[in-house]
Amino acid sequence: MEHLGPKDIERAAAILRTGGLVAFPTETVYGLGASAFDGRAVAKIYEAKGRPSFNPLILHVASLDQAHALAALSETALRLADAFWPGPMTLVCPNPAPEISNLTTAGLGSVALRMPDLKLARDLIAAAGVPLAAPSANRSGKISPTRADHVIADLNGRIDAVLDGGPTTVGLESTILDTTDDKITCLRPGGLALEKVSALLGYEVEIAKPLDPDSPSSPGQLQSHYAPKVAVRLNADSAAEAEFLLGFGTTVEADLNLSRDADLEEAAANLFAHLHDLDHLAHRTGKMGIAVSPIPEMGLGLAINDRLRRAAAPR
Ligand code: TXA
Ligand code: MG
């Protein structure tokens, strides 16, 4: 696997154009990209991740024009795009363009679009000249990567290259909004706080109820997800003997702290890297689990708690 840097965008784009897989940074997490128009390349994503094939992928675009060419953006979708793109927001839109491989949309009559905020990501998409289908660059069910070395540890030998852009800044996957109905609903809380979406739309955006976990047709419906190897226990005041404590705020003596200042944006940015680090450390030192301090259920705390509940879910 090639370890590329920002100067190697042309090389990364060439790999993508010829049907290869390139992991690339965005402001949320690293994505595992392939040309969304190349069904065989997209198939390789599912293979590399070991991902259930019913789970559709997000298409990453470099511009609004590119988004328009891929689906029908409603008036409300355009308002959202205008306010929050580029950024950590994904819009599920109707009428996917016929060039998009069926594997990308999983045969649904809609497609998920996102314009990342990280310029390196948009430059790569523009250089490739095609929208990039990209789930998070981790094996299915594992913690999402926020650094190139996370990708390398998880996917080395299974993909063609990683484009290293340093650690991601938001650290949580995008907020996914369903725009196929007049009333917008949230399919996955994420890096854009839902309060901001509600404020723009003038009503409280609801989080869609999880579907039957055996037939996930919308995001992150698999119960156990983002799983470290050791057990995870939530809303902990302190760690047991065999646990590490992942703290939040100043009140606790933690092994690692998501944010000493109880800042939810800082906590989101640290979440996956801290889970990775404590998981590895637990393995080396024979600890059995990670206890996590309570996180307030507001702003980005909604998405942080969503990921933590999945990490703690029975496997
Ligand atoms: O921040 C992110 O969103 C990252 C970076 C790489 O952009 N990507 C990401 O992708 O988290 P992924 O594949 O791990 O999550 C995409 C979610 C999936 O849970 C999938 O079910 C949902 O989006 N999704 C994709 N297309 C959909 C559609 N047409 N309708 C409903 N849900 C869809
Ligand atoms: Mg993922």
Side-chain angles (χ1 to χ4, degrees):
M1 166 167 99
E2 297 177 43
H3 190 160
L4 305 174
K7 287 196 299 286
D8 307 314
I9 284 203
E10 276 310 324
R11 170 70 192 142
I15 295 173
L16 290 163
R17 276 195 303 269
T18 52
L21 298 187
V22 177
F24 65 97
T26 76
E27 73 280 17
T28 59
V29 301
Y30 275 71
L32 179 56
S35 164
F37 295 161
D38 182 341
R40 290 178 60 173
V42 176
K44 287 194 226 161
I45 294 181
Y46 290 100
E47 207 169 43
K49 281 183 67 85
R51 173 172 216 167
S53 58
F54 42 67
N55 220 346
L57 306 176
I58 295 173
L59 260 64
H60 296 70
V61 298
S63 68
L64 200 55
D65 283 347
Q66 198 174 20
H68 278 296
L70 293 171
L73 275 70
S74 69
E75 214 172 292
T76 312
L78 283 174
R79 276 174 65 207
L80 289 163
D82 191 47
F84 302 119
W85 273 355
M89 174 186 73
T90 294
L91 299 177
V92 173
C93 303
N95 298 347
E99 310 88 279
I100 302 171
S101 83
N102 280 326
L103 268 181
T104 306
T105 55
L108 298 173
S110 58
V111 62
L113 302 178
R114 177 162 109 77
M115 191 195 301
D117 191 31
L118 187 75
K119 186 165 179 299
L120 183 60
R122 293 200 308 278
D123 287 349
L124 175 67
I125 300 161
V130 284
L132 298 182
S136 51
N138 53 280
R139 301 259 201 125
S140 193
K142 294 292 191 308
I143 303 169
S144 296
T146 58
R147 296 196 311 246
D149 62 283
H150 296 154
V151 178
I152 294 165
D154 206 22
L155 292 175
N156 197 8
R158 303 173 76 91
I159 65 176
D160 297 297
V162 59
L163 177 63
D164 192 339
T168 65
T169 52
V170 174
L172 279 178
E173 295 88 345
S174 59
T175 298
I176 303 182
L177 302 174
D178 186 352
T179 74
T180 59
D181 276 328
D182 284 344
K183 184 157 187 240
I184 305 296
T185 54
C186 174
L187 299 176
R188 176 179 75 183
L192 172 66
L194 221 44
E195 289 89 334
K196 292 189 185 171
V197 181
S198 298
L200 181 87
L201 297 177
Y203 57 88
E204 194 162 329
V205 174
E206 280 165 30
I207 301 180
K209 260 219 238 45
L211 304 173
D212 174 358
D214 292 330
S215 61
S217 73
S218 56
Q221 301 292 2
L222 297 169
Q223 262 273 313
S224 168
H225 208 127
Y226 311 103
K229 296 198 185 84
V230 300
V232 176
R233 185 168 65 86
L234 306 183
N235 297 314
D237 296 325
S238 58
E241 186 102 353
E243 288 176 332
F244 283 121
L245 184 63
L246 178 57
F248 179 80
T250 47
T251 49
V252 288
E253 283 267 329
D255 295 287
L256 278 180
N257 205 312
L258 290 169
S259 169
R260 269 178 224 295
D261 300 332
D263 174 343
L264 288 167
E265 288 185 9
E266 185 185 16
N270 284 331
L271 178 68
F272 291 138
H274 281 7
L275 282 175
H276 269 287
D277 290 349
L278 286 181
D279 198 25
H280 288 153
L281 206 60
H283 253 262
R284 280 211 302 279
T285 58
K287 296 249 185 188
M288 309 296 291
I290 302 168
V292 189
S293 298
I295 313 288
E297 192 75 12
M298 56 180 282
L300 293 188
L302 254 64
I304 295 171
N305 283 321
D306 172 76
R307 305 306 186 269
L308 283 171
R309 276 192 292 273
R310 288 174 206 282
R315 321 245 163 99

